Amino acid sequence: MKGRKKLPLVRTYLKRCRAVIAACVCGGILCASVFWLYRLPVEAVLYACILSAVPGLGLAVRSFYSYCRKCRDLERMLAWKTGSPEFAAPASDQAELLYRKLLVSSYEERERLLQEEEEKRTEMKDYYTMWVHQVKTPIAAMNLILQTGEGPDHGRLSTELFKIEQYVEMVLQYLRADSPSADLVIREYQLDSIVKKAIHKYAPVFIRKKTALDYRPAVCLVRTDEKWLLFVIEQLLSNALKYTERGRITIRLEEERETENGGELRTLIVEDTGRGIAPEDIPRVFEKGYTGCNGRVNQGSSGIGLYLCKKVMTRLAHEMVIESQPGVGTKVKLRLDMTKFTPE
């Protein structure tokens, strides 16, 4: 294997030294011509060539070894992520030394810019996290005020305040979703319990909008993170309620197939009879900030909800698929790894 890896290096090295090789060949031909013109013995020519070739080969081997070390240095620098590059082979001349200084300077500048960007991102994350926690206090106070009094606009105010709570919660989840671990706790959970928490949270909205809910209990265990899967289901219910003026929302479990580890891959379906999604929008609904035709009609759409849902589902190693027809409704499929299923 090592010989195969060195063959390209030998070819490139010979190509790099072609001028020197050509000069040596021309010099040998010239010496042979002089010996032939003066009718000197052939043994003398061969002896002179051998004496010249031995030190030449030694210098060539040394030069090739130095060339290989420099190539390895460059390969390491291509894969270098942090810090300044280190060189195994010394610089052969002043030009190469200047190139190395320029390269080190570029790496250091990159590190400085990356550190500044990380500090800015951390400061922004800290600020918005603090803002979210601070704004929750007046929201809680307004909720208390609405609970103690009744008025003609009480229901409408409660709905709008609930939307504010959801948008604030989305900001917090957006910030958390960018962290490497995202505060994941992967273990087995009752899917039915997670779904019921989401339904209970949105029950007042179902009642105010007079939207029917058809829920068929998903009695099974799922290997996931409860908090993040709950966030995804809540976002799907929020979207379904937002775009369903009449009809019903259905939540049911659909069996699919067994997994390699002996578990069962099943699909949790959240389906509505709302306005649906245009066919040209479906391939882009998971893009950050993309709102599509519905977003242009409904100015309250941010294009962040489905983007976050897809990001969370990918991190949880689950799959999320959307099927929709304009004027008929939307069906969102969450493919989950079930560890145990108990039929009704």
Side-chain angles (χ1 to χ4, degrees):
M1 290 296 291
K2 290 184 178 179
R4 290 181 181 178
K5 288 182 179 179
K6 285 188 176 180
L7 280 176
L9 287 177
V10 172
R11 285 196 292 267
T12 54
Y13 178 75
L14 291 176
K15 186 181 291 186
R16 184 185 184 190
C17 300
R18 59 182 179 273
V20 176
I21 294 172
C24 291
V25 171
C26 291
I29 294 172
L30 182 62
C31 290
S33 301
V34 171
F35 272 74
W36 180 77
L37 289 173
Y38 281 94
R39 300 291 189 273
L40 295 176
V42 178
E43 291 82 1
V45 178
L46 293 175
Y47 186 66
C49 289
I50 291 170
L51 288 178
S52 301
V54 170
L57 284 173
L59 290 173
V61 170
R62 182 179 178 184
S63 175
F64 177 69
Y65 178 71
S66 176
Y67 176 74
C68 289
R69 291 177 68 187
K70 290 176 181 178
C71 288
R72 285 196 296 270
D73 283 342
L74 291 173
E75 288 176 353
R76 280 200 302 271
M77 281 184 281
L78 281 174
W80 211 274
K81 300 299 181 184
T82 58
S84 298
E86 298 177 358
F87 303 93
S92 58
D93 52 32
Q94 184 65 19
E96 186 177 345
L97 182 63
L98 291 174
Y99 276 121
R100 290 188 176 187
K101 288 182 177 179
L102 179 63
L103 188 60
V104 170
S105 176
S106 299
Y107 269 78
E108 290 176 349
E109 180 65 14
R110 186 195 68 171
E111 284 296 306
R112 186 186 66 81
L113 293 174
L114 287 175
Q115 187 174 357
E116 286 183 0
E117 186 64 26
E118 182 62 28
E119 289 175 356
K120 289 179 182 178
R121 188 160 48 245
T122 303
E123 288 177 2
M124 183 186 69
K125 183 178 178 180
D126 291 342
Y127 169 76
Y128 281 111
T129 302
M130 179 188 67
W131 177 84
V132 167
H133 287 294
Q134 286 181 337
V135 82
K136 281 184 176 181
T137 302
I139 290 175
M142 285 187 283
N143 265 321
L144 286 173
I145 294 171
L146 286 173
Q147 289 173 10
T148 56
E150 291 289 342
D153 296 327
H154 182 272
R156 185 178 175 184
L157 289 173
S158 297
T159 302
E160 296 303 319
L161 186 59
F162 182 80
K163 290 180 182 178
I164 294 173
E165 286 183 287
Q166 293 309 109
Y167 291 141
V168 169
E169 188 65 27
M170 188 184 294
V171 171
L172 192 59
Q173 299 296 356
Y174 179 81
L175 294 172
R176 288 173 178 168
D178 282 332
S179 64
S181 63
D183 193 25
L184 295 178
V185 180
I186 304 296
R187 63 181 183 85
E188 293 180 352
Y189 296 93
Q190 273 287 353
L191 181 60
D192 185 64
S193 174
I194 298 175
V195 176
K196 283 181 177 178
K197 286 180 182 178
I199 293 173
H200 178 73
K201 183 175 182 178
Y202 280 87
V205 185
F206 275 98
I207 295 170
R208 281 193 291 268
K209 291 196 68 175
K210 298 180 180 179
T211 303
L213 172 65
D214 180 9
Y215 174 55
R216 304 165 195 178
V219 186
C220 61
L221 293 176
V222 58
R223 188 179 295 108
T224 187
D225 178 274
E226 181 182 30
K227 180 184 68 177
W228 284 106
L229 183 60
L230 177 62
F231 168 77
V232 171
I233 297 173
E234 286 178 355
Q235 287 299 311
L236 296 181
L237 282 179
S238 175
N239 284 350
L241 286 164
K242 184 188 299 183
Y243 297 113
T244 302
E245 286 79 14
R246 61 182 180 275
R248 66 177 54 242
I249 295 172
T250 304
I251 304 175
R252 57 188 171 87
L253 193 63
E254 184 179 88
E255 183 177 353
E256 292 224 347
R257 62 182 184 275
E258 291 188 0
T259 60
E260 295 179 357
N261 59 7
E264 295 177 337
L265 190 66
R266 298 176 183 272
T267 301
L268 181 69
I269 295 177
V270 181
E271 187 175 5
D272 64 61
T273 57
R275 67 181 65 167
I277 304 172
E280 62 271 18
D281 288 337
I282 290 179
R284 301 187 60 188
V285 290
F286 296 125
E287 292 181 13
K288 184 178 179 181
Y290 185 77
T291 58
C293 296
N294 286 334
R296 286 186 283 274
V297 174
N298 183 5
Q299 299 298 322
S301 180
S302 63
I304 298 296
L306 287 178
Y307 161 77
L308 278 178
C309 289
K310 184 67 172 179
K311 190 172 185 178
V312 169
M313 292 292 286
T314 302
R315 186 160 291 182
L316 293 174
H318 301 327
E319 189 178 353
M320 182 175 178
V321 179
I322 288 185
E323 299 174 0
S324 185
Q325 292 183 22
V328 177
T330 302
K331 181 189 295 185
V332 183
K333 297 182 176 182
L334 305 181
R335 292 195 173 97
L336 310 170
D337 184 11
M338 307 296 179
T339 58
K340 185 178 180 182
F341 179 71
T342 307
E344 295 182 42

